[in-house]
Amino acid sequence: MNSTLTLAQQIDLQITAGGPISVATYMGLCLTHPTKGYYKVADPLGAKGDFVTAPEISQMFGELIGFHLVSVWQQMDEPKNFNLVELGPGRGTLMADILRVACRAPGFRDALKLKLFETNPALTVEQRNRLESYEPQWLENFEQFDEGPILVVANEFFDALPIRQFVKKDDGWHERQVGFIDGKRAFGLSPTPIPNETMPSAVANAETDSMFEVCFAGGEVMSRLAKVVAKQGGSILAIDYGYARTQTGDTLQGVRNHAYADVLENPGETDLSAHVDFGALAAVTQEVGLAAQPLATQGEFLTRLGIAERANALSGANPGSAEDIRTARDRLVGKDQMGDLFKVFCAHSPGLTPPGFTA
């Protein structure tokens, strides 16, 4: 396709030539088009980007995850070689905070092999600059691991993977698509119904016009990771907004310049995401023999790991910043802020008890 065309023009040409496309295809093009996708060309993070993630709010977020990972490593009898993996590392801020704390544990620094999975070239440069002393390696797939256990961290990664959407009608479920109405991009439904019995049992009794979302890409990523973790040992920690059990509802959203935006406008310039079905991810990990902790809210997870105590310690050491530290803590754990919206998922080798979760 003509590379001088904007991504919007390329998408419109594809629809004109081949007909409506699935929501997953549209999301994939918007986010990961090889040259014009949002995560290929944009720097979405921070005040100048489209959204702010927890690591940019406070160092406490990464520090407490570092404590969590050290505990898991110690429970595995402190293996002399292990893989520490982050999916979608952003600017490397989270991993830098993790390692600043975790490497205080004797033997942790010498044992780790740092692996990063990133698709944005500009962010890769920032990760290299920030994490160079740890000799990171960038993954091209999920089979490039060294010997030893694997500890995976994925903060706001799974929500950006493409989803398919289906709407319940009297004759079955119809896939939601992106096409044209009066010459403008718009949502519509495939005319071909999918029988009710082929859908998950969790939505079998859904009412007419209910919407069901499924992220096959997320399931595939989790399946690949879970298989290698089941073989080599370790854990997978994922933090994102989502829900504990498969359910109905439309969660697809766009964010641009720190405000909600129409998902069909400005493709490639708007961040698209959807809530994560953690119940489906847990099922994938349990199929290969991993255990899964009960889903925690971010507020519960960080509180159990001691964010109140860490905030007090930072405030004592930096009294001039005490108010900012308190504000950051509240933003991370407050029920009306990130505390309840974001959930924390952990699948792991049987026998481990990762901290931050209920028994």
Side-chain angles (χ1 to χ4, degrees), residues 24-77:
T25 298
Y26 178 76
M27 272 188 82
L29 289 169
C30 289
L31 297 178
T32 60
H33 182 280
T35 59
K36 301 179 186 295
Y38 183 81
Y39 282 112
K40 292 291 186 179
V41 299
D43 183 357
L45 305 173
K48 295 182 180 180
D50 291 316
F51 55 87
V52 176
T53 60
E56 271 119 15
I57 292 173
S58 172
Q59 68 187 64
M60 294 183 288
F61 182 77
E63 290 172 344
L64 293 172
I65 292 176
F67 169 78
H68 166 95
L69 294 172
V70 167
S71 176
V72 174
W73 175 70
Q74 291 172 336
Q75 290 178 41
M76 295 188 295
D77 296 324

Side-chain angles (χ1 to χ4, degrees), residues 95-109:
M95 186 53 67
D97 291 339
I98 288 172
L99 292 175
R100 186 176 59 254
V101 167
C103 288
R104 295 175 185 171
F108 191 94
R109 171 68 181 86

Side-chain angles (χ1 to χ4, degrees), residues 57 320-329:
I57 292 173
S321 301
E323 183 61 31
D324 290 339
I325 293 168
R326 185 161 47 250
T327 298
R329 178 204 62 197

Side-chain angles (χ1 to χ4, degrees), residues 109-241:
R109 171 68 181 86
D110 292 336
L112 78 87
K113 301 294 182 183
L114 182 59
K115 312 284 187 179
L116 306 174
F117 181 78
E118 179 59 64
T119 62
N120 185 309
L123 292 179
T124 298
V125 172
E126 292 203 46
Q127 294 158 19
R128 180 177 288 109
N129 292 338
R130 187 161 279 151
L131 302 169
E132 184 176 16
S133 63
Y134 300 102
E135 301 177 349
Q137 296 179 336
W138 281 265
L139 301 173
E140 295 181 0
N141 56 59
F142 298 122
E143 284 76 38
Q144 296 174 286
F145 300 114
D146 293 334
E147 294 182 358
I150 300 167
L151 301 181
V152 181
V153 177
N155 181 56
E156 294 197 54
F157 174 81
F158 284 95
D159 70 290
L161 297 178
I163 61 165
R164 294 176 69 181
Q165 294 183 316
F166 300 87
V167 177
K168 176 77 172 293
K169 293 297 181 182
D170 292 339
D171 60 346
W173 293 83
H174 292 253
E175 183 159 16
R176 198 183 194 200
Q177 298 178 317
V178 177
F180 293 132
I181 295 178
D182 296 330
K184 293 184 62 176
R185 284 186 297 277
F187 288 115
L189 299 179
S190 166
T192 306
I194 298 171
N196 292 330
E197 55 268 21
T198 65
M199 305 301 280
S201 58
V203 299
N205 298 318
E207 297 180 356
T208 300
D209 294 326
S210 296
M211 184 177 293
F212 166 63
E213 299 176 337
V214 60
C215 183
F216 290 116
E220 178 63 21
V221 169
M222 185 60 78
S223 176
R224 292 185 180 183
L225 288 171
K227 287 176 182 176
V228 70
V229 170
K231 180 180 179 181
Q232 296 183 215
S235 68
I236 304 169
L237 184 73
I239 304 166
D240 235 312
Y241 44 76

